[in-house]
Amino acid sequence: MLLVFAFAKADNIIAQHDNNTKIEQEERIDIAYFPIQARDMVFTLSKARKKIKYYKETDGSLITYEAKFKLNGYKYSIECDQKGILIDIEVLIKKKEIASSVLNIITNNLKEISNRFKVEKIQKQFVINHQDSLSISNRLESNDFDNYEMIVAFKKDNKIYRKEMLFSKEGELLKQRSVKKLKYDFILF
């Protein structure tokens, strides 16, 4: 039993050092621990100050903060760094909200990895580059997003694994990395 634990621990340490693997840990925090510089932007964009949930995320050595809320039937996530500088805004969407021509391109990219896959999560990503709240609000309202971010489970050679994949809004695969395996994978397929 000790040997099994040692191998599992070593595998986890190796995966944490691999830049191509995402091992994200998220913990809920009080607003007092959320970067002050980002709070006004979150309040302005959320339009729902009382129902915002704050999180601290650790992905290896990278620490970021997220504010999550619902607005107009969509789940939003505003991510910032430790200094409170906004990184991106993500909006959870459904597959049917992607244009069929773009979805076909994405599906073909996924089939190149494995014919058996399940898209678990899709988000529109708005990359923020030092924009003010009015510019960001306008982008959100006009749906001027940059990318699609997806979590996809694949099954190949009787093994299940996940990838976080970033696609352009035209469907071009931009980036991918492994995601730490969740329990109960056998339920997926």
Side-chain angles (χ1 to χ4, degrees), residues 25 45-46 52 59 82 84 86 89 91 93 119 121 145 149:
Q25 293 180 333
L45 296 173
S46 71
I52 304 170
D59 182 6
Q82 292 176 309
L86 265 55
I89 298 174
V91 182
I93 63 167
V119 177
K121 184 178 183 181
F145 67 98
E149 184 180 277

Side-chain angles (χ1 to χ4, degrees), residues 125-137:
Q125 182 190 54
F126 298 79
V127 178
I128 307 301
N129 294 319
H130 306 288
Q131 297 165 343
D132 62 15
S133 59
L134 181 60
S135 298
I136 296 169
S137 291

Side-chain angles (χ1 to χ4, degrees), residues 2 5 17 21 28 34-35 62-64 67 69 85 102 124 135 140 160 163 178-179 184:
L2 184 61
F5 178 74
H17 292 293
T21 302
R28 182 112 184 247
F34 194 80
L62 181 66
I63 296 174
T64 59
F69 57 90
I85 298 170
V102 174
K124 287 183 182 176
S135 298
L140 291 172
I160 297 172
K163 289 184 176 280
S178 298
V179 177
Y184 310 114

